[in-house]
Amino acid sequence: MDGDRVAVRIEDRRRRGARGIIVEVLDRAHRHVVGVFRGGRGHGWLDVTQPKLGIEVFIPAHDRGEAESGDLAVAEVTDWGEVGPGPAGRVERVLGPSGDPGVAVLAIQVGYGIADAFPEAVEEAAEALTARGVRPTDLEGRDDCRGDRVFTIDPADARDHDDAISIARLAGGGARIGIHIADVSHYVREGDRLDAEAWERGTSVYLVDRVLPMLPHALSSDLCSLVPGEDRLTLAAYLTVDRRGALRGTRFARAVIRSAHRLSYEEAQDALNGESTPATERDPGLGEDLRALLEASRSFRRRRRARGSLDFDLPESRIVLDEEGAPVDVRPRERLDSHRLIEDLMIAANEAVADWAIEKGVPILYRIHEEPNPEKLDTLRLLAGEFGLSFPQRNPRPRDFQRLLDDVRGMVEEPVISVQVLRSLAKARYEAESAGHFGLASPAYLHFTSPIRRYPDLVVHRQMVRWLSEPGSVRDIDREWLSATARHASAREENAARAERDSVELKKVEFMERHVGDHFEGTISATARFGFFVRLDAYDIEGLVHVSRLTGDHYVHDPAKHALRGRRTRRNYRLGDPVEVQVSRVDRDARRIDFDLM
């Protein structure tokens, strides 16, 4: 089973890729599972939903605890079938009815091993720091930026604000952009209780209806959050640009700010559009600063694109929930100029810090993105050819991917091609050595801008603070610990991403339960021997048209053409084809939506 530690006997050592037989399972990867309990008054079974193992666990009557049929529960697997006919276990915790929207998300959280409450000692340590607040001694040696127009731009419902921006005009038409990042390293010290807990969590997790922070709320939402009107400690990256927007210099410093405004992306966009907002009415210069920052960010983006950086515009969903946590709508998440402004400035800051680390020889955690897998590129190449598009046969560079994305911009094939481009790329991860970032076409990249919610950013901050205080001390870091931290942070990030995706998919399935029998237009987004998937035009939701539902012919999958072909009628259902479907069945536990073709 995936993740299990096993003993293997090698059958033939002479051949490359020698074959072997599993002779003993040494350790199981999943001792605790989450699923729906089914049973009567005696024994029962747990239909495992997390992790997705496709199994049932037998629960003896004396081990079911308080579980009732239909409850989501956590079980310890005590026997994987070595003794009995199949896995058996005992219920450890009943989460609640499987039909409860909040319980279903809780099951995902528990299934992925994501902690909720912090240990009491960790909470107490965070609260003690917050009660102490920002002291006069904390300001020593820092740039005093409390008189500058510094402000944050975040989602309207954000609870933590770890980055703020500012701009100052310079003689000759240039400008100095200030990117202020919460100085979490001032409070979370290496080896203390807060640090150990943050290292273990690795990242904050953003499920569809809840946030599970890396740091206690006393820090993440209060003392380290760059809230308006309060003194807050930051690490600042000052980027000096000329009148054409080209980067001419960087400087890093410890600073103190007092944020003037907390803007949502929508409020910032209104100001960029020249509309009057409460913030611009109070502070007329804010709109001018925003427009100057937007021009600078566009310049950074143009230069990234010129070197070949990828710019995805994949559809994203925003799930609208009611007070009970049930989905009432699935809306496309609009990508505004205000989103791009922040994204461009944060990328510029991350690259600037990576360049500094390499130039100064600072041991640090990098964010690397390797070249694509050749086999996945073959699939993309075939797909592009099916749509009459060209793609290099050998060694494609980032600009080749971007050219392909540009060619399908606004076309019906755009979502299909964009998803396949994304699938062909390697996954980004953390490493102790720089290997460049393929997607950004960047020779060096790292994460500096979110230490409230990512542990690698905190490591980068600590190294920068050391260098600012005593440059020689940064080389004393334990390289083995740095590599281990890179591996751990990458694993925790991947775990969080899977949980986040599962929680969104759950709500999409719940939303479609009310649409059984309804008709929708969509596009074939993937094909397989068992049918094809359709992405709805109205919502970013996918469902399956099973091959058994295609009547009037026998359909065979043609993987090279990404199509199902009728043997008699020669009718084809190809990737990218528009279709009309009816929602025929929704299975919440299996996270499955079935369509019938109209």
Side-chain angles (χ1 to χ4, degrees), residues 25-98:
V25 177
L26 303 177
D27 190 19
R28 291 287 182 178
H30 306 289
R31 292 188 178 277
H32 297 84
V33 294
V34 179
V36 182
F37 181 80
R38 311 288 187 195
R41 295 183 177 180
H43 64 264
W45 288 265
L46 194 78
D47 293 337
V48 176
T49 58
Q50 291 295 139
K52 296 176 181 177
L53 303 176
I55 63 170
E56 289 184 337
V57 176
F58 175 72
I59 307 294
H62 61 274
D63 283 330
R64 64 180 287 174
E66 301 297 321
E68 299 291 339
S69 191
D71 281 347
L72 279 162
V74 183
E76 179 188 10
V77 181
T78 56
D79 174 16
W80 281 99
E82 288 89 348
V83 178
R90 63 181 182 85
V91 171
E92 285 191 335
R93 177 185 176 190
V94 175
L95 302 178
S98 60

Side-chain angles (χ1 to χ4, degrees), residues 575-596:
L575 198 65
D577 282 353
V579 292
E580 184 181 354
V581 296
Q582 181 182 41
V583 183
S584 60
R585 179 173 174 268
V586 175
D587 187 333
R588 183 187 300 203
D589 294 336
R591 310 275 201 277
R592 176 169 166 170
I593 302 167
D594 288 331
F595 294 147
D596 280 340

